[in-house]
Amino acid sequence: MSVSEMFAALQGALGQDQDIREEIRKVVQALEQTAREILTLLQGVHQGPGFQHIPKKCQKAREHFGTVRTQMESLKTKFPADQYYRFHEHWRFVLQRLVFLAAFVVYLESETLVTREAVAEILGIEADRERGFHLDIEDYLSGVLTLASELARLAVNSVTAGDYSRPLRISTFINELDSGFRLLNLKNDSLRKRYDGLKYDVKKIEEVVYDLSIRGLNKETAVGAGGEK
C-alpha cells in the first residue's frame, strides 16, 4: 500500500468517526432542550405558590422523562455499543443534569434519595455497565451533588414561603447525604472538587435552621406537628 493510499484510508476512518460524533451531537442537543424544559418546570417550586403544586409539577416532569427515554433510545443507536467511553464526553454533562432532575423529582415526591438503579430506569438506560448504555457511577454521584445545592436553595425559599418544617427535613437529608459521601474514597478530581462544595451546602442549610431556632419557629413547627397528631 502506498503512502497516499494509507492516508486515504485514515481519512476515511476520520470521516466516519466525525459522522458518528455529529449524529451524537444532534441527539444530545435534543436531550439538553428537554432537560431545560424539565428544569424550568421544577424551578416553579421555589416560588411561594409553587409549594402547593409540587405533585402536579412532579407529574408533569415525569411526562417529560418519557421524551428523555425516547431520545436515549435514539442515542444508543448512534455509536458502536462497545465504544461507550470513547464518546462519553459528548453526553456526560447532560446525563448528569438529567440525574439531578430525576433525583429532584423523587425527593419532592418522597423526600428520599433516588437509587442509581431507579434513575437509570427513569432515563431508560441500564445501571449495569455490562448491559450496554448505562449510568456511570460518577455521573450519578455528580447529579446527586447538584441536588444538594438545589435543596440548599429550597431550604431558604421555604422559609420565605412560610414553610418552616421543610428546612429541618432538608437539613436531616443533606447531613445523611454528607455522611454517605464521607464513606467514599473519591479519586476523580472533578467529582472530588464538586464534593468539596457539599460542605458549603451543609453550612448554608445549618444557618437557615439556626435562624429558625433563634426565632423560635422550629419550636412552633414541632408543636404544630404534635397537635396534628
Side-chain angles (χ1 to χ4, degrees), residues 87-100:
F87 300 104
H88 178 240
E89 283 299 313
H90 289 280
W91 59 74
R92 179 174 62 88
F93 176 78
V94 70
L95 189 56
Q96 292 175 2
R97 174 59 63 88
L98 289 167
V99 170
F100 149 61

Side-chain angles (χ1 to χ4, degrees), residues 31 34 38 59-73 121-124:
L31 279 167
T34 306
I38 298 173
Q59 180 181 357
K60 190 67 176 177
R62 291 272 186 179
E63 294 173 5
H64 280 292
F65 277 113
T67 302
V68 170
R69 288 190 288 273
T70 299
Q71 292 166 338
M72 284 293 185
E73 284 299 321
E121 183 177 351
I122 291 171
L123 302 183

Side-chain angles (χ1 to χ4, degrees), residues 100-115:
F100 149 61
L101 293 171
F104 194 27
V105 168
V106 170
Y107 179 83
L108 290 173
E109 291 174 338
S110 61
E111 297 191 357
T112 60
L113 176 62
V114 68
T115 64

